[in-house]
Amino acid sequence: MTHHVIIGAGEAGLRAAAALRDAGERHVTLVGGEHMPSYDRPALSKPDGETGLFHRPIAVDLAGLEVVLGRTAKGIDRETKAVILTTGERLAYDRLLLATGARPRRLACDPAGHALMLRTLGDAEAIYGKADAGGSAILVGAGLIGLELAAELTRRGMTVRVLEAGPRALGRGVPAEIADVIVSRHRRSGVTFDFDVRIERVEHKSVVLADGARIEADLVVAAVGIEPEVGLAVSAGLACANGIEVNSRLVTSDPSIFAAGDCAVIDHPRYGRTRFETWRNACDQGAHAAKAMLGEAASFETLPWFWSDHFDLGLQAVGLHDPSRRSARRDLADGGWLRFELDENHVLQAAAGIGPGTSVARDIRLAEKLIERGAFCAPEALADPGLGLKSLLKVAA
Amino acid sequence: MGTWTRACATDDVELEDLLRFDHGGRSFLVIRSPEDEFFCIDGICTHERVHLADGLVMDGIIECPKHNAHFDYKTGEATRAPACINLKSWPVKVENGDVFVEI
Ligand SMILES: Cc1cc2nc3c(=O)[nH]c(=O)nc-3n(C[C@H](O)[C@H](O)[C@H](O)COP(=O)(O)OP(=O)(O)OC[C@H]3O[C@@H](n4cnc5c(N)ncnc54)[C@H](O)[C@@H]3O)c2cc1C
């Protein structure tokens, strides 16, 4: 009788728990620090266009699981194999999964925490509660979440100004040409951008820049990235560096303890040590961790994939972007387009697409399959919209 | 019993591809398999109301273009999370080069 304990009831923890249960495991305990049933985090920055609803519970069948919500694990006793909760309760485990996720990075220049941040349902309620039509908002950080929020606050009638420390939006993960399309779309709806900005400090309803200028706003939100939640792992003496270190099978430095999702830095067969911060990765690593906990020895090889929505535009990307690679562009009928990245041998490595709604989804999924197969792709073929990617896949098969 | 409604011509749908078909305030997908059979399922994902018309049709599956949920397009069965509710599937017949759906 094996006891499985999972810490963290986000996407990764839930998927792992459900997969263990579906594999016939009878003793699966899921501990979640948040008080309410698990909800969809991406929806927090993408409220429903018609209803404004951003609280979407995750539809996972919890039957057959022991679910402990609203309680936090404060320690792991690796000698006796037990998790200690803040209530003093001890949960014995044979296999333990850490799916503790991440927390938003706080601005160093805002020790008092004047700027709001977005990670939890409560954060979203606080932000949208202050989003008055006609008011003004400053968003610090032009990353995916910051820009999604800029679009949503604009939609709610606010005047939004984005302050970014770097020279452009969407940093390293998104090709510059695609970031430009997204920024133009935001500008068209009135969002303004300042790049290479140094913020001196954040005060109540204002931001003071390094040059002394003060910008007032009704709402200040910081979206400057996340930090993996590693406290529990560090205090238990597990190897951690920018996340809980796991091998390609999601096993930590303790063979009975596994990690998955935003908190895990994995030795990925394709990319080496990498931590992914995306929704599908959390789902896939969660399901994979369940298999690993059951002793199945496969490596986690899934490619990173994500989507992000900005007004009527949808971005999707697969693989890891590297600006130094050769690229090819394919234009789609509805104004959308795709950007492919090839290595020196013409093997497809990454693809990103931007277009109305979900119009790039199908081709990005086909690109994912091409990358998985290590397919050779002539740049001319990738650029030719008359040549379906499915036909390239059939050639590669 | 529903009524047989013309959805499209067979030639409107490529092999292993789909066509969106709206009727009576509902949205459907007509899907043509590589074996040249036609199927009809609801057009909206049961997970988060995303339209499936931009989804990939391959290997017997239609995939949600947003969250990668999978459905067996021959039966509507949800085969991969996050979807857990099946899509409704509708009877189809082909007559004289036209596809009819019983709605
Ligand atoms: C606003 C927003 C928008 C996003 N949009 C997108 C998007 O469009 N596309 C995309 O791909 N990704 C998106 N993401 C990222 C995606 O949501 C995350 O990658 C994913 O949710 C990570 O899941 P997880 O299970 O690893 O961690 P989490 O969802 O963070 O879950 C971890 C859980 O563990 C709990 N926990 C931590 N420590 C303990 C403890 N000691 N004891 C008990 N419980 C504990 C936490 O409270 C939390 O509930 C978005 C994220 C946010 C915040």
Side-chain angles (χ1 to χ4, degrees):
Chain A
M1 198 166 67
T2 308
H3 284 263
H4 301 275
V5 174
I6 299 168
I7 307 295
E11 210 68 61
L14 279 181
R15 293 292 181 110
L20 287 167
R21 186 261 330 271
D22 293 347
E25 292 301 306
R26 310 262 306 274
H27 297 278
V28 182
T29 307
L30 178 63
V31 182
E34 296 185 71
H35 285 269
M36 72 285 288
S38 311
Y39 53 88
D40 190 62
R41 246 174 251 295
L44 299 179
S45 53
K46 307 170 191 68
D48 186 280
E50 284 158 35
T51 61
L53 203 74
F54 51 84
H55 180 195
R56 291 183 215 149
I58 301 175
V60 170
D61 178 11
L62 298 175
L65 301 171
E66 190 181 337
V67 184
V68 183
L69 293 182
R71 262 177 278 172
T72 304
K74 69 164 187 202
I76 304 168
D77 182 346
R78 287 166 56 195
E79 289 285 298
T80 62
K81 290 198 176 177
V83 172
I84 299 114
L85 304 186
T86 40
T87 51
E89 257 172 292
R90 292 173 72 88
L91 300 172
Y93 67 82
D94 297 299
R95 298 271 183 278
L96 173 65
L97 174 64
L98 301 176
T100 48
R103 65 174 88 175
R105 184 173 297 135
R106 190 174 282 290
L107 283 170
C109 59
D110 180 25
H114 289 296
L116 299 182
M117 297 188 288
L118 179 57
R119 181 75 186 179
T120 65
L121 182 61
D123 295 340
E125 283 164 351
I127 290 171
Y128 297 131
K130 290 196 176 147
D132 294 324
S136 60
I138 290 176
L139 262 157
V140 181
L144 289 169
I145 291 177
L147 291 194
E148 286 191 348
L149 208 42
E152 177 58 21
L153 295 176
T154 302
R155 207 184 61 82
R156 287 176 188 242
M158 296 193 91
T159 304
V160 180
R161 181 164 177 181
V162 177
L163 306 181
E164 165 59 46
R168 70 172 186 89
L170 301 177
R172 282 154 288 125
V174 177
E177 300 93 314
I178 289 185
D180 287 346
V181 174
I182 293 173
V183 167
S184 303
R185 178 65 194 83
H186 278 263
R187 286 196 167 123
R188 195 146 60 77
S189 289
V191 179
T192 55
F193 290 83
D194 297 75
F195 294 105
D196 297 310
V197 174
R198 293 284 163 271
I199 296 177
E200 182 67 30
R201 62 182 184 276
V202 181
E203 295 180 353
H204 179 62
K205 292 198 171 192
S206 74
V207 168
V208 180
L209 305 185
D211 63 8
R214 175 187 296 273
I215 310 170
E216 316 256 339
D218 299 307
L219 172 65
V220 181
V221 183
V224 292
I226 59 172
E227 276 162 10
E229 193 69 70
V230 296
L232 206 54
V234 168
S235 60
L238 299 173
C240 291
N242 177 38
I244 305 168
E245 289 190 20
V246 292
N247 66 14
S248 67
R249 296 173 42 243
L250 306 179
V251 187
T252 67
S253 52
D254 178 329
S256 305
I257 307 182
F258 303 74
D262 280 13
C263 68
V265 54
I266 173 186
D267 191 5
H268 192 280
R270 185 182 281 263
Y271 304 111
R273 291 229 151 268
T274 319
R275 192 169 58 76
F276 303 107
E277 303 178 345
T278 47
W279 177 87
R280 195 185 77 180
N281 175 70
C283 299
D284 291 347
Q285 283 195 353
H288 196 92
K291 288 191 192 161
M293 291 164 87
L294 294 171
E296 290 171 38
S299 288
F300 179 83
E301 294 183 3
T302 312
L303 293 167
W305 169 93
F306 70 87
W307 87 101
S308 178
D309 296 338
H310 301 267
F311 298 100
D312 49 341
L313 289 182
L315 160 70
Q316 292 201 10
V318 64
L320 290 184
H321 166 56
D322 174 353
S324 71
R325 287 196 198 109
R326 167 171 197 165
S327 70
R329 173 178 168 140
R330 169 184 291 235
D331 288 295
L332 305 176
D334 52 14
W337 54 280
L338 304 158
R339 184 182 179 282
F340 301 97
E341 289 179 19
L342 300 152
D343 67 12
E344 58 280 8
N345 300 318
H346 286 184
V347 177
L348 190 60
Q349 299 292 338
I354 183 86
T358 48
S359 58
V360 303
R362 190 181 306 178
D363 285 334
I364 291 297
R365 274 297 276 153
L366 288 165
E368 178 172 0
K369 290 175 191 284
L370 285 165
I371 300 169
E372 274 168 3
R373 292 196 190 165
F376 299 95
C377 300
E380 306 74 44
L382 290 172
D384 179 0
L387 200 68
L389 292 183
K390 220 185 239 179
S391 65
L392 297 183
L393 198 60
K394 297 214 161 115
V395 175
Chain B
M1 287 294 275
T3 35
W4 286 100
T5 310
R6 182 186 177 276
C8 57
T10 52
D11 289 349
D12 293 340
V13 198
E14 296 192 15
L15 280 181
E16 202 174 46
D17 206 349
L18 59 77
L19 186 77
R20 174 179 174 161
F21 159 59
D22 293 343
H23 179 79
R26 272 186 97 131
S27 200
F28 306 89
L29 299 178
V30 174
I31 297 182
R32 185 175 185 177
S33 75
E35 296 79 32
D36 204 16
E37 295 166 296
F38 286 83
F39 300 92
C40 180
I41 50 176
D42 272 349
I44 311 283
C45 186
T46 56
H47 169 235
E48 269 191 19
R49 298 200 294 126
V50 173
H51 206 293
L52 294 169
D54 283 329
L56 176 65
V57 176
M58 219 171 133
D59 303 331
I61 295 292
I62 166 102
E63 185 179 274
C64 170
K66 210 55 177 281
H67 303 106
N68 307 158
H70 283 182
F71 300 92
D72 179 336
Y73 61 69
K74 299 185 178 177
T75 61
E77 188 193 347
T79 55
R80 185 168 94 177
C84 42
I85 303 168
N86 297 342
L87 290 170
K88 190 163 167 42
S89 83
W90 304 83
V92 173
K93 66 179 179 186
V94 175
E95 270 176 20
N96 304 324
D98 285 322
V99 180
F100 292 85
V101 181
E102 189 179 21
I103 299 170

